[in-house]
Amino acid sequence: MLQIHENISLQNFNTFGIDASARYFVEINHEDELVELFMDPQWKGIERLVMGGGSNLLLTQNFDGLVIRMNIRGIEHRINHTDVFIEAGAGEVWNDLVNYAVKWEFAGMENLSLIPGSVGASPIQNIGAYGVELKDVFDSCRAFEIATGTFKAFDKAACQFGYRDSIFKQQKGEYIIVSVKFHLSLVASINTRYGAIEQELNNRGITNPTIKDISQVVSHIRVSKLPDPSTIGNAGSFFKNPVIPVTEFEPVKTQYPDVVNYPAGDGLIKLAAGWLIEQCGWKGKVVGNTGTWKNQALVLVNHGGATGEEVYGLSSQIIDSVYTKFGVMLEREVNII
Ligand code: EPU
């Protein structure tokens, strides 16, 4: 029997630590419970918010609908020659899954160590860090289709992964991911392309890194650059790195020769939003109860007691100033509720 709670605070369910409440709240521990929930006419027209770890979310007001918190657990793996398939419930904590893989020496996810959030949320924005994206280790996922009340399988192509993008983001509110299957390997192919990994391995005198070494080094880099949400509320990168046509990039480059940029294929250039924001003087700035992180300007933080509106207001100011200085429009990466 599903337990629906009323008027509960979401403060402990979002990593920004924003104190907003939900009119109704239900936790889903098994996929059958989704069928039960969506068959109940009481919840038919109501506004819904599906939550995993709440790590990519900014609540700007109380939510006057039904919050569905995905808590389906379980991790299983199957080995076929050197291929490893791991399937995990949507409610598993992402980093617990990474630790599972690292412990078993299954290669592929180690660069994605310590990313906050849940397994079920990971395909939605195709999470990525330190040279690897979720799509590189994704096999398939299973999702509940709200319109039909049935479960559907999505292979990699069907997910239409892009930079921090997928069909689940494009068709928001249509599907609820219940489990994800990953394709890993018993043969490690260590990825140290991201400069800071190489540098930290050198510092540690490691020349032949294992999966565990990479996981530890990545975790170390994250801790040194990014605020820990359990002490300082945040949702990771607040904006996407803007991708612009070379023609728009050229005038920026002429005026600001140091602009941090990466080729993004098809005549496109990706700019480092953190750099753009820092150049506008925002890095480490405290504005009321909010601000940007001192070691990474792309991360907005809650210094304690910030409201979602306050954080949103700061993000608008940042967008305006980056646009004024560089003519580049930043896009929020975090879900604004
Ligand atoms: N930079 C600055 N100032 C800053 C921040 C960054 O000049 O305040 C410069 C850095 O010096 C570097 C470049 O910008 O040259 C890139 O910075 P970084 O390597 O920290 O990565 P990022 O592009 O800012 C992205 C992801 C992060 C991910 C890192 C590492 C996005 C939106 N963010 O950040 O993902 O951890 O790469 O791979 O793509 C997240 O999505 O929540 C997230 C944390």
Side-chain angles (χ1 to χ4, degrees), residues 172-249:
K172 210 172 152 193
E174 291 187 28
Y175 300 102
I176 300 177
I177 295 170
V178 294
S179 65
V180 187
K181 194 193 267 185
F182 300 90
H183 187 172
L184 305 185
S185 176
L186 291 179
V187 188
S189 112
I190 300 292
N191 177 342
T192 58
R193 279 190 293 270
Y194 186 88
I197 296 183
E198 198 76 67
Q199 206 180 323
E200 184 57 26
L201 287 168
N202 281 340
N203 292 348
R204 296 179 183 210
I206 299 170
T207 46
N208 205 355
T210 62
I211 295 166
K212 196 170 168 200
D213 291 329
I214 297 291
S215 176
Q216 285 175 349
V217 162
V218 165
S219 300
H220 171 87
I221 297 168
R222 284 193 80 91
V223 168
S224 66
K225 276 196 181 177
L226 301 167
D228 174 1
S230 66
T231 49
I232 300 202
N234 75 90
S237 301
F238 197 92
F239 304 97
K240 286 204 223 180
N241 284 326
V243 178
I244 59 171
V246 175
T247 45
E248 278 175 35
F249 171 67

Side-chain angles (χ1 to χ4, degrees), residues 74-78 84-90 94 97 109 119-120 122-123 134-143 153-156 159 161 177-184:
I75 303 180
E76 280 175 8
H77 73 261
R78 180 171 62 80
V84 183
F85 294 91
I86 308 192
E87 190 158 8
W94 172 262
L97 175 68
M109 306 187 145
V119 166
S122 64
L134 175 105
K135 70 170 168 55
D136 303 327
V137 287
F138 181 91
D139 177 77
S140 57
C141 69
R142 193 171 144 79
F154 288 79
D155 63 12
K156 197 190 287 196
C159 293
F161 289 123
I177 295 170
V178 294
S179 65
V180 187
K181 194 193 267 185
F182 300 90
H183 187 172
L184 305 185

Side-chain angles (χ1 to χ4, degrees), residues 51-53 55 70 90-94 116-123 127:
M51 271 178 63
S55 60
M70 294 304 287
E92 287 291 339
V93 172
W94 172 262
S118 67
V119 166
S122 64
I127 59 170

Side-chain angles (χ1 to χ4, degrees), residues 128-130 163-164 194 222 225-226 236-237 239-241 260 262 272 274-275 278 283 296-298 333:
Y130 308 109
Y163 166 58
R164 293 295 190 275
Y194 186 88
R222 284 193 80 91
K225 276 196 181 177
L226 301 167
S237 301
F239 304 97
K240 286 204 223 180
N241 284 326
V260 179
Y262 322 89
W275 185 87
E278 179 173 354
K283 189 170 183 171
Q296 169 51 290
L298 190 48
E333 196 245 321

